């Protein structure tokens, strides 16, 4: 069955550093991969989407890579800020309406 | 536009009771999904629908029923609530293709 793994341990970093979150998947080949942010008590909010034929995608301080050989996506936040503290979820996707998420990685950025 | 609206926001049920969690959208998106979120487990897909009259099972469908009679609504039914169904439930909508999902604000359900 499809399996998605994200860093289960919380990631603690200092303000200004780059945060790197990992998403690994097995037993399927997604056409694209989405990243979401979730704050406590709220629903997830979409951040970025990368297609299988794109190696890298950027949006402001965010960067996502997608390696279909390794079956892995990396999510980077550069110049991190305390406001970036949240849980980040990845969702490899093949369309068709069935959107499955990883368990999420909690990021804490300390001032 | 309200987007995705879930009701109620909070609910306490006794074991064996039934209830329906409501999800309504005004975004005209064809796909709708229900997730549950437990500590350390992330979002797990319960059921999803790709259009009116079409539903399918997700990762954890047992104990839940759904139907989709209109594009706008996708109710989730618990026929006989169990403590294991204590969770936060999220509804999401999405359009076909390479598109993002939009989530409701969640329903926090406690079964005692």
């Amino acid at each position: 069955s499809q399996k998605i793994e994200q860093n289960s341990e919380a990631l603690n970093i200092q303000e200004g550093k780059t945060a790197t979150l990992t998403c690994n998947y097995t037993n399927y080949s997604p056409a694209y991969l989405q990243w979401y942010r979730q704050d406590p008590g709220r629903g997830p909010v979409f951040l970025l989407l990368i297609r299988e034929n794109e190696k890298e995608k950027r949006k402001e301080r965010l960067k996502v890579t997608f390696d279909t050989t390794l079956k892995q996506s990396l999510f980077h936040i550069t110049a991190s800020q305390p406001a970036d503290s949240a849980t980040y979820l990845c969702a490899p996707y093949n369309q068709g309406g069935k959107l499955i998420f990883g368990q999420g990685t909690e990021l804490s950025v300390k001032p | 536009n309200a987007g995705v609206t879930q009701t109620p926001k909070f609910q306490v049920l006794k074991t064996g009771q039934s209830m329906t969690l409501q999800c309504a959208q005004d975004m005209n998106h064809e796909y709708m999904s229900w997730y549950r979120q437990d500590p350390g487990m992330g979002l797990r897909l319960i059921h999803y629908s790709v259009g009116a009259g079409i539903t399918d099972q997700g990762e954890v469908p047992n104990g839940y029923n759904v139907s989709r009679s209109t594009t706008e609504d996708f109710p989730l039914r618990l026929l006989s609530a169990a403590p294991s169904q204590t969770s936060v439930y999220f509804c999401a909508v999405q359009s076909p293709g390479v598109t993002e999902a939009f989530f409701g604000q969640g329903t926090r359900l406690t079964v005692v």
Side-chain angles (χ1 to χ4, degrees):
Chain A
S1 62
Q2 300 170 356
K3 190 174 180 182
I4 306 166
E5 290 187 355
Q6 296 186 247
N7 311 64
S8 56
E9 292 183 10
L11 181 62
N12 298 303
I13 65 169
Q14 207 66 32
E15 183 176 7
K17 301 293 186 184
T18 296
T20 299
L21 286 67
T22 304
C23 175
N24 296 297
Y25 57 91
T26 55
N27 296 331
Y28 70 130
S29 299
Y32 59 106
L33 194 144
Q34 306 185 9
W35 283 90
Y36 290 76
R37 168 183 173 141
Q38 187 175 23
D39 293 291
R42 305 181 74 91
V45 175
F46 173 79
L47 294 174
L48 271 176
L49 177 155
I50 185 167
R51 300 168 194 258
E52 62 179 337
N53 61 353
E54 298 175 314
K55 296 297 183 188
E56 182 179 297
K57 196 84 168 276
R58 291 176 185 262
K59 179 182 177 183
E60 297 172 352
R61 294 184 295 110
L62 308 180
K63 185 179 85 171
V64 173
T65 63
F66 192 9
D67 189 325
T68 55
T69 301
L70 290 178
K71 294 186 180 292
Q72 180 181 79
S73 176
L74 298 178
F75 178 82
H76 306 272
I77 305 175
T78 58
S80 59
Q81 305 166 1
D84 295 326
S85 298
T87 296
Y88 292 85
L89 301 151
C90 72
Y93 186 50
N94 260 328
Q95 305 189 41
K98 188 176 182 180
L99 187 63
I100 305 289
F101 288 84
Q103 78 271 34
T105 297
E106 184 179 349
L107 172 67
S108 178
V109 182
K110 304 295 185 186
Chain B
N1 290 344
V4 182
T5 302
Q6 291 184 235
T7 54
K9 288 187 171 57
F10 302 94
Q11 183 71 49
V12 178
L13 284 180
K14 292 183 179 179
T15 298
Q17 285 185 318
S18 63
M19 82 159 294
T20 299
L21 278 63
Q22 302 290 347
C23 177
Q25 59 144 335
D26 62 3
M27 304 177 76
N28 202 32
H29 287 340
E30 291 183 42
Y31 296 171
M32 296 186 76
S33 302
W34 275 104
Y35 296 86
R36 62 177 288 173
Q37 187 168 40
D38 304 294
M41 299 292 291
L43 286 167
R44 291 186 291 170
L45 180 65
I46 304 172
H47 286 285
Y48 66 102
S49 169
V50 297
I54 306 170
T55 63
D56 206 345
Q57 295 183 349
E59 303 169 280
V60 288
N62 292 340
Y64 307 95
N65 283 345
V66 293
S67 60
R68 182 99 179 269
S69 56
T70 67
T71 299
E72 293 78 20
D73 300 292
F74 190 41
L76 179 71
R77 298 183 190 87
L78 285 70
L79 297 179
S80 179
S84 61
Q85 295 178 304
T86 293
S87 188
V88 180
Y89 291 84
F90 287 100
C91 176
V93 304
Q94 188 182 16
S95 284
V98 185
T99 62
E100 66 196 87
F102 297 89
F103 285 80
Q105 74 275 37
T107 294
R108 185 174 294 275
L109 176 68
T110 302
V111 183
V112 297

